[in-house]
Amino acid sequence: MVHIRKLEIFGFKSFGYKNTLVNFEPGLVAISGANGSGKSNILDAISFALGENAPKIMRVDKLRSLLHDVDNAHHGAKIARVSCHFDNSDRKIPVDSNTVTITREMDESGENIYYLNQKKVLRNHILDLLEIANCGIHKLNIVQQGTITRISEFNSEERRRIIEDIIGLAYFDEKKTEALKQLDEADRRLEIALARMDEIKKRIDELEEERNNQLRYDFLDQGTEETLCNSGLK
Ligand SMILES: Nc1ncnc2c1ncn2[C@@H]1O[C@H](COP(=O)(O)OP(=O)(O)O)[C@@H](O)[C@H]1O
Ligand SMILES: [Mg+2]
């Protein structure tokens, strides 16, 4: 199963301008610390790296508030960088490497750059890869405080939808709808092509008839000329 092995946080929220490493051992990992020490910020950092763009989900008013802003010793340009290292030994993320590293960088102008294994890529590419591996940001992989209470209050239909979402059925449902749409489109094109073929066949029949008439005419015409020649009239 795809899981996070390591997280690197730099200049993000309460994490200052030195790389903070968080290693995740297999199994259950608990992070403890005093109130306000930055435990939930770790979760926000994961959301950030994986492409989250809703400030509210990362508990800020605007994305720029994610830049670390208390380190007075820092005078350089502000930048937030989070790298999420996934264990991909089972190749569930369609990238041919045992570790898949997704990095997101945001600067003061609010510009974001994404990297997949240190190579620049588009955000959508990251989202697609994570969706295929069912480890994206909107699959309850990240459960914020308060969400558990909300889920416990769901009715059975909502619960079914959430379970389907977790096991990744929604992704295949979408693909199925897309494939059916393409099939419909192919059927429609086939109908048009068959109609065109009918028209062309009719036209070929017409041309064939014209050609035969012409041949018949030429034959008769030639016959008449020969008769005229033989009779010495021509
Ligand atoms: N942009 C920021 N720069 C510096 N500190 C920040 C920034 N955003 C949030 N914080 C700090 O993060 C702390 C809250 O961290 P949080 O992860 O919610 O704590 P907890 O460990 O209680 O979950 C607060 O002290 C807040 O000042
Ligand atoms: Mg907290």
Side-chain angles (χ1 to χ4, degrees), residues 17-180:
Y17 299 104
K18 68 171 184 34
N19 234 10
T20 303
L21 279 184
V22 187
N23 286 304
F24 293 97
E25 301 301 329
L28 183 73
V29 176
I31 295 169
S32 64
N35 253 352
S37 60
K39 302 183 296 293
S40 302
N41 288 347
I42 295 176
L43 210 58
D44 297 337
I46 297 174
S47 300
F48 174 77
L50 306 189
E52 182 59 70
N53 265 344
K56 213 178 102 196
I57 291 191
M58 293 173 282
R59 305 173 306 137
V60 284
D61 53 343
K62 53 185 187 308
L63 287 183
R64 248 165 272 182
S65 310
L66 295 171
L67 296 165
H68 179 67
D69 66 0
V70 292
D71 199 342
N72 295 324
H74 182 78
H75 297 298
K78 278 186 182 173
I79 191 165
R81 185 190 310 117
V82 180
S83 292
C84 199
H85 302 260
F86 283 105
D87 183 304
N88 191 39
S89 344
D90 60 5
R91 297 292 187 275
K92 284 273 162 58
I93 303 175
V95 172
D96 195 20
S97 57
N98 282 335
T99 303
V100 170
T101 304
I102 291 170
T103 304
R104 177 181 181 179
E105 247 174 41
M106 187 176 74
D107 64 16
E108 269 175 298
S109 69
E111 201 192 325
N112 288 273
I113 305 175
Y114 289 86
Y115 300 87
L116 174 70
N117 287 347
Q118 284 81 45
K119 277 203 202 84
K120 239 189 218 188
V121 288
L122 292 176
R123 173 175 180 265
N124 267 346
H125 185 60
I126 303 266
L127 296 190
D128 284 349
L129 288 179
L130 295 178
E131 187 166 11
I132 291 169
N134 202 22
C135 57
I137 39 177
H138 298 301
K139 289 279 161 60
L140 277 187
N141 290 321
I142 297 168
V143 181
Q144 299 281 0
Q145 235 163 311
T147 310
I148 299 290
T149 331
R150 232 182 58 235
I151 294 173
S152 69
E153 285 161 1
F154 274 177
N155 63 33
S156 50
E157 172 62 18
E158 287 169 321
R159 252 180 237 176
R160 184 178 65 86
R161 213 170 313 132
I162 232 167
I163 290 168
E164 285 184 359
D165 228 22
I166 293 170
I167 59 173
L169 267 188
Y171 175 73
F172 292 105
D173 273 348
E174 257 169 47
K175 289 277 161 221
K176 187 176 153 199
T177 316
E178 217 172 89
L180 286 174

